[in-house]
Amino acid sequence: QVQLVESGGGLVQPGGSLRLSCEASGIIFSIYTMGWYRQAPGKQREKVTAITSGDNTNYADSVKDRFTISRDNAKNTVYLQMNNLKPEDTAVYYCYARFNSVSVWGQGTQVTVSS
């Protein structure tokens, strides 16, 4: 019943943009911190960004000024707008929802940045 479904991944050229979506069901969406992690081949999972229920945001240094997280509580959806994409952004991106000790994870969506 509790589920996060990511969409919007794909192949994009360097310098391009992509918008990821994560739609949640089965939780009281508005009270959860939402965010994104990513994992590239051979690397540790990296926290990309998060947005709290009060719309406070944070970003990894590697994506600052390029990525923007936002949420639409009416749609139970969090977005990740990714601009000026670089090859090093290539990874599987995972959406998560967290409230206290409760965490929910999506299955991930592949983002590939390549010429």
Side-chain angles (χ1 to χ4, degrees):
Q1 187 174 13
V2 178
Q3 187 173 246
L4 303 181
V5 179
E6 300 106 328
S7 62
L11 175 64
V12 65
Q13 293 185 328
S17 297
L18 208 59
R19 190 193 197 197
L20 306 183
S21 298
C22 173
E23 184 174 358
S25 61
I27 63 171
I28 305 174
F29 181 84
S30 62
I31 70 171
Y32 277 73
T33 290
M34 304 295 299
W36 297 86
Y37 279 72
R38 67 185 182 186
Q39 188 165 25
K43 295 185 177 181
Q44 295 288 316
R45 185 171 291 193
E46 174 190 23
K47 185 179 180 181
V48 177
T49 181
I51 182 167
T52 70
S53 61
D55 287 342
N56 294 317
T57 60
N58 58 69
Y59 299 91
D61 288 342
S62 57
V63 307
K64 284 181 179 177
D65 301 319
R66 299 189 298 117
F67 290 13
T68 303
I69 188 171
S70 61
R71 65 192 297 160
D72 186 337
N73 289 343
K75 296 181 178 180
N76 287 355
T77 301
V78 63
Y79 304 96
L80 182 62
Q81 179 66 46
M82 304 184 293
N83 298 325
N84 192 24
L85 283 160
K86 303 175 180 180
E88 51 264 43
D89 295 318
T90 296
V92 178
Y93 284 71
Y94 298 90
C95 175
Y96 75 89
R98 182 173 297 127
F99 182 75
N100 294 336
S101 62
V102 178
S103 295
V104 184
W105 291 84
Q107 293 299 307
T109 185
Q110 177 71 47
V111 172
T112 302
V113 185
S114 176
S115 298

